[in-house]
Amino acid sequence: MTELPKAYQPEEIEKRWYEEWERVGAFRADPVTDKKPYVIVLPPPNVTGALHMGHALNHSLQDALIRRARMQGYEALWVPGTDHAGIATQNVVERELRKDGLDRHALGREAFVDRVWEWKREYGGRITQQMRELGESCDWERERFTMDEGLSRAVRTVFVRWFEDGLVYRGLRVINWCPQCQTALSDIEVEHEDVAGELVTFRYDLSDGSGSISVATTRIETMLGDTGVFVHPSDERYAGLVGKTVRHPFFPDRELPIVADEAVDPEFGTGAVKGTPAHDPVDFEMSERAGTEKVNIFTETAHVNENGGRFEGMDRYTARREVLAALRELGLVEEVERPYVHAVGHCYRSKTEIEPWLSEQWFVKMRPLAEPAIAAAQDGRVTFHPPRFAKAYLNWMENLRDWCISRQLWWGHRIPVWYCDDCGATIAALEDPTECKCGSSALRQDPDVLDTWFSSQLWPFSTLGWPDDTPDLKTFYPTSVMVTAYEIIYLWVARMIMSGMYFMDGQVPFADVFIHGIVRDGEGKKMSKSIGNVIDPLDMIERYGADALRFSLAFIAVPGNDSNSSEERIEGARNFANKLWNASRFVLMSLGDDRPEITGELLVEDRWILSRLDDTIEVVGRELDAFNFSEALHALHAFVWSELCDWYVEMAKPRLREGGAGAAGSVLVHCLDRVLRLLHPVMPFITEELWSKLRPGAGSVMTAPWPAPEGRRDTGAEDSVARFQDLVVALRRLKIEHDVPQGRRVPVAVAAGDLAAGLEPLLDQVVSLARLESIELVDDLGPAGADPRTITPAGLEAAMRLGETVDPALERARLERKRDELAAEVKRAESKLGNESFVAKAPAPVVEKERAKLDEARAAFAKVEGQLGALGG
RNA sequence: GGGCGGUUAGCUCAGCGGGAGAGCGCUGCCUUCACACGGCAGAGGUCACUGGUUCGAUCCCAGUACCGCCCACCA
């Protein structure tokens, strides 16, 4: 056996094992199998992306689930892939072009799209390479891209089906327009943010000169597109004005009717609303009802267009100033409230202010799709973890508005719709048509592409081969669990459920939705480049190892909660890896090639650690089933570090030193074996490396069975060892308190009373761990004052036979402190048990436990009293 | 305007009806033959506030105060 280095060095090991895993096809799943499938489709990262901490968390948790499922005997499949990310990718390539002094229009559509593909081929593999560095066990042979051929066919199929079923339609609407990206956005792609603006109240004079009506707005420039004034039908203030018209101050020919409409809130502002149907969705609807004109005043870059008269050419903010100034000059401005804080929509990509803009777009009718998806969450066919997110999902689903799916971009799935120039027909088709039903070949394809999320929503089944009826689809759909951050529940999760149920015979795409939080910095601040608090996961992998990064994230992953990551945490995880490494190194060095099985007589400490292991196995399994990674890993961490390393390994040393593996060796092998399996899903590399040393020739730990409790709980052993640990700690402390060097071996006497029998088999261990010269079990410690005394919570008394008298004053102070603690405990327990209702109503085991505690405390108290009395004074 | 979450040790956070936990930090001691990426022993919390339910509340309920987040067509 080769010598293991003294500190764990992840770099070489990680590289070696990942190559090996890929070489033997360890991540491959087979659709022809007797095993039950366990399937996760990876939320596809943007092709433009680089692995960030959010991915690291999301992917670490999925890999842990998949690796565990694989060990549990499932046919585990994790489907990887990337998303074409319309706007983001187009922006990246456009930026590149600009460096060369070009823009996409100069290149033309086809050449530009070619250029993006070229970019994708060159850089699109970056993030998947980084995923390998993290150790992700996805089935790379099944890697997909949202714009590859198969997925494109899925997109077209969905579009055409929905078009034919009347769920996809085209309409003239006020949509969210991003003047920066120059495309429409759906409602969820708009982020509302409070900004300090102004609320301008101004006056429209009635055309007949009989008076005026005042309206208020935060976007005064939009009055250039006003075509009406709306009031509430029951608003008496304006009852006499309805039916009259006002005149537009800048366009004297334009008469604006005053119309009553229920949508007006009479409480707000003046109770009268200026109607700008081309730039406000509500105004649009009111205009539809009233039949007023719709005047679009903006270009796609949010500059005033030819309908803006002398304001033409100004950008919207300049126009805002100038229109206000012009109205002031005319004496029409009544009030300007400033600052006026209100929510303004911003583009989720470019952060530009959204301009509501009238245009023809494609939409998906959501209500019919939402209904089954709502039912599925209500009756538990889809379960959210933690459940509170089901509420958010349902609330959103119940208030869905139609989804604007057309984007004025070039990079994406082109809308499979053609318009006939001759007969005006609209044709949606799977294959590009060459001629219209009318015989004309003058067909033009719709220039727009689909929202990126239109293809992502199909991910759970499109990646498995749909619309073909493939073996993968048969075996692996529906998938098992969707793992994602709460940020994209609406954007993505909800839509996958809707489209999945629609196209897969009502079958939900996944049974469980595990929602985790986002990764923040060490102080809980969101990571951002501008703050400079971003942690680069690849940097962390390089410095601490992938296992350390993964462990550090899973260790703090509480379902639904954000978690704070920091280099210190990752360092701590690295230290844990090193601890595991060294404990294993010790076991391996002690055993040589010997791998004894547990047989024959076990000592109480052996039974204790096996009992603790069993409990740990149970807890880890239970918590992982509930996606409580943090709880599971805390249990494992505590078992490995505190119980196995700090206590059991120390207790096993004397026997190991005596030579021959024996029971201690067999127990260590057993514990290590189980620990490596339990940790493997989160720390795949180090566990595989150590496994190969512990179990040479036994194959990969990846396919070792996931541990189940082995019926080794032993509460008697746990009690005995707990008391023993208390005694060891008390003795170590006693030495420190009396300035006895830790290494100086002293004789000790212990009065254990009823507990003597339990302690007896552990006496040698007390000597060893408390570093004593000898230990003697006695009935009575003899007169106090002659030597330093201590007492454990369970009432074990011990004395160091130093052969020198202690300072009575110091000893008295120590004992008095102890006595006071015990007295308080006695009092607490007495008052509780003195409460008749407690004794009558509390469950019997609780009362029993309380009684036992009282007895123990009383006994210990009596002993301290005795020692104090003997001390005299 | 609705909804959700938070307030627990110096920091960051778990826990959640029966005697307060972790990681990091802090103090003292230790170059003990797996590990100084370590060992040993410690210090440190009226579990935000006010009521209520209960034999018993950090945990459940109501309210208050702050702090986050999400949703929203009051111009």
Side-chain angles (χ1 to χ4, degrees):
Chain A
M1 176 181 304
T2 52
E3 278 289 299
L4 295 177
K6 198 169 160 181
Y8 174 54
Q9 291 153 5
E11 209 172 313
E12 181 270 336
I13 287 168
E14 291 178 1
K15 189 165 176 295
R16 173 158 48 81
W17 279 116
Y18 202 87
E19 280 170 8
E20 172 67 8
W21 291 331
E22 281 212 275
R23 193 182 64 76
V24 301
F27 309 149
R28 203 181 297 144
D30 189 347
V32 183
T33 176
D34 295 333
K35 297 177 179 177
K36 275 171 69 181
Y38 185 93
V39 187
I40 297 179
V41 291
L42 176 86
N46 291 355
V47 265
T48 52
L51 198 78
H52 55 58
M53 289 297 276
H55 295 124
L57 170 66
N58 178 251
H59 296 200
S60 294
L61 299 183
Q62 287 174 78
D63 196 32
L65 292 175
I66 278 287
R67 285 177 182 271
R68 175 168 178 246
R70 205 175 275 130
M71 294 172 76
Q72 287 173 315
Y74 291 95
E75 189 68 32
L77 169 63
W78 189 16
V79 182
T82 49
D83 193 290
H84 68 277
I87 300 180
T89 311
Q90 177 159 326
N91 284 348
V92 166
V93 177
E94 283 193 274
R95 216 174 301 137
E96 252 189 16
L97 286 178
R98 234 169 286 140
K99 274 187 225 150
D100 302 341
L102 291 168
D103 65 25
R104 67 180 159 115
H105 300 284
L107 229 60
R109 182 168 188 149
E110 226 173 292
F112 177 77
V113 170
D114 284 348
R115 182 82 182 246
V116 182
W117 274 109
E118 215 173 278
W119 185 94
K120 191 260 169 189
R121 272 189 294 274
E122 189 159 355
Y123 303 108
R126 178 175 59 168
I127 194 160
T128 52
Q129 186 48 45
Q130 295 170 336
M131 286 162 60
R132 289 174 168 91
E133 286 181 43
L134 193 61
E136 303 183 26
S137 68
C138 21
D139 189 344
W140 293 109
E141 290 173 22
R142 287 183 166 82
E143 180 181 347
R144 303 304 295 265
F145 176 56
T146 50
M147 270 180 57
D148 67 27
E149 206 192 321
L151 269 63
S152 299
R153 205 151 51 81
V155 165
R156 273 205 179 190
T157 307
V158 166
F159 187 96
V160 172
R161 274 273 304 274
W162 275 350
F163 178 82
E164 284 166 357
D165 295 348
L167 291 174
V168 156
Y169 66 92
R170 193 168 184 238
L172 184 71
R173 296 285 177 81
V174 173
I175 45 77
N176 308 295
W177 183 264
C178 173
Q180 175 70 44
C181 305
Q182 295 186 34
T183 180
L185 297 173
S186 66
D187 293 336
I188 18 178
E189 288 168 314
V190 175
E191 295 171 350
H192 293 272
E193 229 179 281
D194 276 352
V195 302
E198 58 189 20
L199 182 68
V200 177
T201 308
F202 70 102
R203 196 171 74 230
Y204 274 123
D205 289 330
L206 293 170
S207 310
D208 61 12
S210 66
S212 69
I213 187 164
S214 298
V215 293
T217 177
T218 54
R219 295 185 297 151
I220 188 65
E221 71 282 6
T222 62
M223 64 81 65
L224 297 173
D226 282 4
T227 58
V229 173
F230 295 90
V231 296
H232 194 270
S234 55
D235 193 332
E236 288 169 11
R237 291 171 295 179
Y238 301 117
L241 297 183
V242 174
K244 293 192 173 190
T245 63
V246 298
R247 184 163 291 134
H248 199 288
F250 302 133
F251 309 106
D253 296 345
R254 200 190 291 170
E255 299 259 324
L256 286 58
I258 298 171
V259 183
D261 194 293
E262 296 277 350
V264 177
D265 175 6
E267 303 295 314
F268 186 86
T270 63
V273 185
K274 61 188 273 302
T276 319
H279 300 287
D280 185 288
V282 178
D283 292 6
F284 175 83
E285 282 163 27
M286 293 195 291
S287 164
E288 285 283 279
R289 289 192 281 269
T292 59
E293 216 185 323
K294 298 178 181 65
V295 178
N296 190 333
I297 60 156
F298 283 125
T299 67
E300 57 269 26
T301 57
H303 287 72
V304 177
N305 67 12
E306 69 280 6
N307 293 327
R310 60 182 155 114
F311 300 96
E312 183 179 353
M314 292 180 192
D315 72 53
R316 51 186 165 163
Y317 303 111
T318 309
R320 188 167 297 172
R321 278 200 312 274
E322 296 300 321
V323 169
L324 179 61
L327 286 172
R328 270 214 168 100
E329 234 163 80
L330 294 171
L332 295 173
V333 175
E334 296 188 326
E335 195 191 344
V336 178
E337 192 183 335
R338 197 188 285 151
Y340 180 80
V341 178
H342 62 127
V344 175
H346 293 76
C347 170
Y348 81 129
R349 292 237 60 102
S350 69
K351 311 297 174 194
T352 311
E353 275 190 24
I354 290 300
E355 199 58 49
W357 205 51
L358 185 66
S359 60
E360 282 236 300
Q361 303 288 345
W362 286 92
F363 296 87
V364 177
K365 204 179 282 178
M366 300 308 279
R367 202 53 50 83
L369 291 169
E371 271 162 24
I374 288 169
Q378 280 168 338
D379 65 25
R381 273 173 291 157
V382 174
T383 309
F384 284 80
H385 307 269
R388 72 181 124 99
F389 288 103
K391 232 166 135 182
Y393 164 87
L394 287 171
N395 182 51
W396 186 75
M397 293 286 276
E398 276 153 11
N399 297 293
L400 265 186
R401 296 167 68 203
D402 286 354
W403 174 16
C404 175
I405 52 170
S406 42
R407 297 289 177 274
Q408 288 63 50
L409 305 172
W410 288 352
W411 177 243
H413 295 103
R414 184 113 176 231
I415 291 176
V417 166
W418 287 260
Y419 306 103
C420 175
D421 282 340
D422 288 324
C423 72
T426 298
I427 304 158
L430 286 175
E431 305 292 336
D432 294 11
T434 50
E435 79 176 27
C436 180
K437 283 168 289 188
C438 73
S440 164
S441 57
L443 293 174
R444 275 178 305 108
Q445 185 172 6
D446 193 295
D448 292 348
V449 301
L450 289 165
D451 180 1
T452 299
W453 297 101
F454 193 90
S455 55
S456 337
Q457 68 171 337
L458 315 177
W459 195 244
F461 50 101
S462 64
T463 53
L464 296 174
W466 190 91
D468 296 332
D469 195 13
T470 61
D472 270 11
L473 194 64
K474 271 202 198 76
T475 305
F476 298 126
Y477 189 95
T479 71
S480 308
V481 55
M482 172 51 55
V483 181
T484 187
Y486 52 72
E487 294 174 298
I488 52 176
I489 292 176
Y490 308 138
L491 220 44
W492 193 45
V493 177
R495 288 165 175 172
M496 282 190 286
I497 297 173
M498 289 188 275
S499 66
M501 292 183 77
Y502 193 88
F503 291 101
M504 296 302 296
D505 271 336
Q507 275 200 81
V508 295
F510 27 73
D512 291 299
V513 182
F514 168 44
I515 303 290
H516 61 252
I518 63 172
V519 182
R520 298 170 175 277
D521 77 1
E523 277 119 44
K525 286 201 288 277
K526 208 162 176 170
M527 289 189 187
S528 87
K529 280 180 196 150
S530 56
I531 302 178
N533 59 346
V534 175
I535 298 177
D536 176 6
L538 294 152
D539 186 32
M540 293 299 109
I541 289 172
E542 197 179 313
R543 288 159 64 195
Y544 301 104
D547 287 338
L549 175 63
R550 295 166 59 119
F551 185 91
S552 77
L553 290 168
F555 191 67
I556 53 176
V558 177
N561 287 12
D562 292 347
S563 34
N564 301 350
S565 180
S566 62
E567 188 164 344
E568 289 74 44
R569 274 193 185 288
I570 299 162
E571 198 181 325
R574 186 273 314 264
N575 295 351
F576 176 63
N578 191 57
K579 190 76 183 176
L580 177 68
W581 180 261
N582 274 289
S584 306
R585 192 166 70 98
F586 171 71
V587 172
L588 295 168
M589 285 191 312
S590 306
L591 294 179
D593 291 332
D594 210 6
R595 296 290 178 275
E597 290 291 315
I598 296 175
T599 51
E601 216 39 30
L602 292 178
L603 301 186
V604 62
E605 59 263 40
D606 301 332
R607 286 183 279 116
W608 166 74
I609 194 68
L610 291 169
S611 178
R612 296 303 312 134
L613 174 66
D614 239 30
D615 183 47
T616 305
I617 290 172
E618 200 272 324
V619 171
V620 170
R622 171 161 42 84
E623 296 299 347
L624 286 182
D625 284 342
F627 304 106
N628 290 329
F629 287 88
S630 176
E631 289 293 314
L633 290 177
H634 274 85
L636 257 174
H637 183 271
F639 175 76
V640 171
W641 202 312
S642 309
E643 296 183 315
L644 188 60
C645 293
D646 289 349
W647 286 98
Y648 187 74
V649 168
E650 294 308 318
M651 294 172 85
K653 277 178 180 174
R655 276 188 284 166
L656 292 176
R657 241 179 261 130
E658 281 163 19
S666 71
V667 169
L668 279 170
V669 167
H670 186 86
C671 288
L672 197 53
D673 175 297
R674 298 305 188 271
V675 161
L676 292 178
R677 298 189 207 195
L678 291 169
L679 276 172
H680 178 260
V682 174
M683 308 183 100
F685 293 111
I686 190 175
T687 51
E688 184 76 307
E689 176 70 5
L690 291 172
W691 182 262
S692 74
K693 309 286 186 198
L694 184 74
R695 299 294 193 201
S700 168
V701 67
M702 275 181 74
T703 49
W706 177 255
E710 295 158 346
R712 295 188 193 270
R713 283 310 291 278
D714 184 336
T715 49
E718 292 204 22
D719 285 347
S720 293
V721 171
R723 299 212 154 102
F724 152 80
Q725 289 174 324
D726 284 343
L727 178 62
V728 171
V729 169
L731 286 169
R732 286 167 173 166
R733 185 172 191 174
L734 192 64
K735 276 183 161 183
I736 290 173
E737 280 173 346
H738 289 86
D739 289 327
V740 177
Q742 283 174 56
R744 182 176 153 202
R745 298 190 168 267
V746 295
V748 159
V750 175
D754 297 345
L755 301 172
L759 183 62
E760 187 130 32
L762 289 159
L763 286 178
D764 286 348
Q765 290 290 357
V766 178
V767 171
S768 162
L769 295 194
R771 315 195 74 202
L772 309 179
E773 180 190 299
S774 62
I775 193 163
E776 181 192 5
L777 262 188
V778 297
D779 292 333
D780 186 354
L781 289 179
D787 43 25
R789 300 286 172 91
T790 186
I791 184 162
T792 71
L796 291 171
E797 288 178 288
M800 280 194 292
R801 305 298 199 196
L802 288 176
E804 56 198 58
T805 307
V806 299
D807 177 348
L810 274 177
E811 193 66 357
R812 168 168 296 279
R814 287 182 55 245
L815 287 170
E816 279 173 349
R817 215 167 45 234
K818 199 143 256 171
R819 181 193 59 190
D820 293 347
E821 281 166 22
L822 288 165
E825 170 58 18
V826 168
K827 203 175 148 199
R828 191 198 61 78
E830 275 177 348
S831 83
K832 201 158 188 182
L833 286 161
N835 181 342
E836 279 174 34
S837 341
F838 171 73
V839 179
K841 294 187 179 173
V846 173
V847 178
E848 264 323 296
K849 202 173 148 200
E850 207 56 52
R851 286 220 170 90
K853 278 191 269 184
L854 177 58
D855 290 347
E856 209 163 69
R858 271 180 177 156
F861 178 78
K863 284 173 186 168
V864 177
E865 283 278 79
Q867 290 188 6
L868 272 169
L871 208 53

